[in-house]
Amino acid sequence: MSIFPKISFKKQAFQLREDAILDAATAILGSKGFDLMTMDDVANAVGISKPSLYKHFKSKEELVGEALIRLIDGASDYLAQMNVELSPSQKLSALLEWALRVRLDGGLPFLPSTSAHVREMLTRNIRYVTKVLMLNGKLEKLVLAAQKNGELDNTLPSDVILYSYYARTCDPAVEYLQKFSKMDNESIVTCMLQVAFQGFKTMPHN
Amino acid sequence: MSIFPKISFKKQAFQLREDAILDAATAILGSKGFDLMTMDDVANAVGISKPSLYKHFKSKEELVGEALIRLIDGASDYLAQMNVELSPSQKLSALLEWALRVRLDGGLPFLPSTSAHVREMLTRNIRYVTKVLMLNGKLEKLVLAAQKNGELDNTLPSDVILYSYYARTCDPAVEYLQKFSKMDNESIVTCMLQVAFQGFKTMPHN
DNA sequence: GTCTATAAGGAGATAGAC
DNA sequence: GTCTATCTCCTTATAGAC
């Protein structure tokens, strides 16, 4: 037994609760969005009181920032441990697939910046901005490499591809299909990937 | 001069103000979104007091509903007066182009249902729902026709195409490009249309 | 019909007891 | 560290004078 069993245990419990809070916040953010998510919602979902919640995160802004940082970290990790033999375009496709599965699993849209208000708020979170810029740099390089090797259209400005790529990670069509079509999650992912890379048009025979 | 100059004039002014209110609401909705738009914002933008605003629209819900109905009407009108010789896919492309231009011009995203909260609210507006269903029916027919004649991919479920089509009308990439790239609106529209129909992949030579 | 003033309730954040 | 109770501000909506 450790010499500091009590302290260690407490800290561990504290950390566990912190994760539970972030999980709850993530789920609520995904369903109601930032503006409608209240700190009461989060506290109730975790089963603690609001003041206790504020012991962990000193504001709603900070709580959401941490939840999004966890998401970005997940994406960066997934990208980092990817098979190095994959082509740039294959890596982009695999990461988009990951992001779609996260969302279908009740998680957050990858890029929550649909709202100008939220985007502006996140701008003030230096840790978040730093991590996003790091990931963005990697994705930008992948897009440029894929355009150079002919996998992606090099007549399009790379900005267009990059921003559209982000947009596909939070495509509302995913929720509509989940709610109003009878498709299972696998089919949704497959179709969304195809639409993202090939569009609606009939594919050329290959 | 009319026999009822005073009444007529008053009514006309009332109607003009109502349009001004809807214009203001549309602009604010486009920039801040529903949750953050306050009735004070709208009243101030129009230059009237809040109680006067409530003489025109009995609730925020009704005001937003009317603004969206005007938008849907615009889309339906544009679709109705389209050249009958255009193919189904050309009509879809032209309407998407219209929707993108409306947004680039400071208007609303075509489909505001990004938020579950707003979507649920609109569900209770029967006039709005009716009009949306009418338009949706026409678009669904166009998609099916385009799949049948080989213009659009008939291996994709038509739901996937239809929902993705809606999603492209409110693609956040548009705002990112407008804000962070040096592209003019024309180029943005062209690129977004290409990405929607052809995806990111290199086009086959044609 | 338009305004000033205000009611009613929600939500972020905290005081202070235990 | 946790809770109950509360503060404060903001927003929807309305009362009532002119």
Side-chain angles (χ1 to χ4, degrees):
Chain A
M1 195 195 279
S2 160
I3 332 177
F4 310 113
K6 207 171 172 187
I7 294 175
S8 164
F9 178 75
K10 267 194 183 175
K11 279 195 179 172
Q12 207 172 330
F14 195 85
Q15 179 62 41
L16 278 179
R17 173 128 60 186
E18 199 139 307
D19 283 340
I21 294 173
L22 288 175
D23 287 342
T26 298
I28 299 172
L29 272 179
S31 58
K32 310 176 75 168
F34 177 81
D35 296 327
L36 265 64
M37 180 191 91
T38 73
M39 295 301 263
D40 281 297
D41 288 340
V42 180
N44 290 337
V46 182
I48 61 176
S49 70
K50 206 159 43 163
S52 299
L53 174 54
Y54 273 92
K55 293 288 180 188
H56 288 266
F57 301 95
K58 75 171 193 296
S59 68
K60 181 181 179 183
E61 199 163 324
E62 182 184 302
L63 169 58
V64 171
E66 292 302 319
L68 292 179
I69 283 173
R70 213 175 49 156
L71 180 71
I72 296 291
D73 282 344
S76 292
D77 290 350
Y78 187 79
L79 189 59
Q81 74 185 8
M82 225 173 251
N83 186 335
V84 291
E85 292 183 7
L86 291 177
S87 74
S89 158
Q90 285 173 321
K91 285 185 181 175
L92 288 170
S93 177
L95 184 63
L96 176 52
E97 189 174 335
W98 176 86
L100 292 172
R101 283 188 207 283
V102 166
R103 278 186 59 208
L104 284 166
D105 209 46
L108 276 183
F110 194 64
L111 197 69
S113 325
T114 300
S115 145
H117 167 231
V118 177
R119 193 167 52 220
E120 189 262 354
M121 177 192 87
L122 292 171
T123 302
R124 295 193 297 269
N125 188 325
I126 300 181
R127 277 182 53 232
Y128 176 78
V129 169
T130 305
K131 283 171 184 281
V132 166
L133 285 180
M134 296 265 305
L135 180 58
N136 184 67
K138 290 176 195 155
L139 294 179
E140 197 171 4
K141 274 184 193 152
L142 286 176
V143 168
L144 289 171
Q147 285 185 290
K148 197 165 187 178
N149 76 12
E151 289 181 304
L152 295 188
D153 191 340
N154 60 15
T155 67
L156 283 170
S158 51
D159 278 352
V160 170
I161 296 182
L162 186 58
Y163 293 146
S164 295
Y165 179 81
Y166 284 129
R168 294 308 167 269
T169 66
C170 54
D171 195 321
V174 171
E175 281 135 40
Y176 278 88
L177 287 173
Q178 204 173 17
K179 213 165 289 179
F180 301 123
S181 85
K182 299 293 177 194
M183 298 170 64
D184 56 30
N185 288 358
E186 278 312 304
S187 312
I188 293 178
V189 170
T190 307
C191 286
M192 295 307 293
L193 284 172
Q194 183 182 333
V195 170
F197 282 89
Q198 316 268 13
F200 312 135
K201 279 245 168 111
T202 304
M203 284 179 61
H205 42 39
N206 46 356
Chain B
M1 194 194 281
S2 159
I3 334 178
F4 310 113
K6 206 171 172 188
I7 293 175
S8 163
F9 179 77
K10 267 194 182 175
K11 279 194 177 171
Q12 207 173 331
F14 195 86
Q15 179 62 42
L16 278 179
R17 175 127 60 187
E18 199 140 306
D19 283 341
I21 294 173
L22 288 175
D23 288 342
T26 298
I28 299 171
L29 272 179
S31 59
K32 311 175 77 167
F34 177 81
D35 296 327
L36 265 64
M37 180 191 89
T38 72
M39 294 302 261
D40 279 298
D41 289 338
V42 180
N44 290 336
V46 182
I48 61 176
S49 71
K50 209 160 37 165
S52 299
L53 174 55
Y54 273 93
K55 293 288 179 187
H56 288 267
F57 301 95
K58 72 172 195 295
S59 69
K60 180 180 179 182
E61 199 164 322
E62 182 184 302
L63 169 58
V64 172
E66 292 301 319
L68 293 180
I69 283 174
R70 214 174 50 156
L71 180 72
I72 296 292
D73 282 344
S76 293
D77 290 349
Y78 188 80
L79 189 60
Q81 73 185 9
M82 224 174 250
N83 186 335
V84 291
E85 292 183 7
L86 292 178
S87 74
S89 158
Q90 285 173 320
K91 284 185 181 175
L92 287 170
S93 177
L95 184 63
L96 176 53
E97 188 174 335
W98 175 86
L100 292 172
R101 284 189 206 284
V102 166
R103 277 186 60 208
L104 284 166
D105 209 44
L108 277 181
F110 194 64
L111 198 68
S113 325
T114 300
S115 145
H117 166 232
V118 177
R119 193 165 53 221
E120 190 261 355
M121 178 191 86
L122 292 171
T123 301
R124 295 194 297 268
N125 187 325
I126 300 181
R127 278 182 52 231
Y128 176 79
V129 170
T130 306
K131 283 169 185 281
V132 165
L133 284 181
M134 296 265 306
L135 179 58
N136 184 67
K138 291 175 195 158
L139 294 179
E140 198 171 4
K141 273 183 192 152
L142 286 176
V143 168
L144 289 171
Q147 285 186 290
K148 198 164 187 179
N149 75 13
E151 289 182 306
L152 295 188
D153 191 339
N154 61 14
T155 66
L156 283 170
S158 50
D159 278 351
V160 170
I161 297 182
L162 186 58
Y163 294 147
S164 295
Y165 179 81
Y166 285 129
R168 293 309 167 268
T169 66
C170 53
D171 195 320
V174 170
E175 280 135 41
Y176 278 89
L177 287 172
Q178 204 173 16
K179 213 166 288 179
F180 302 122
S181 85
K182 297 294 177 194
M183 298 169 66
D184 56 30
N185 288 358
E186 278 312 304
S187 312
I188 294 178
V189 169
T190 307
C191 287
M192 295 308 292
L193 284 172
Q194 182 181 335
V195 170
F197 283 88
Q198 317 267 13
F200 312 135
K201 278 244 167 111
T202 303
M203 285 179 61
H205 42 38
N206 46 355

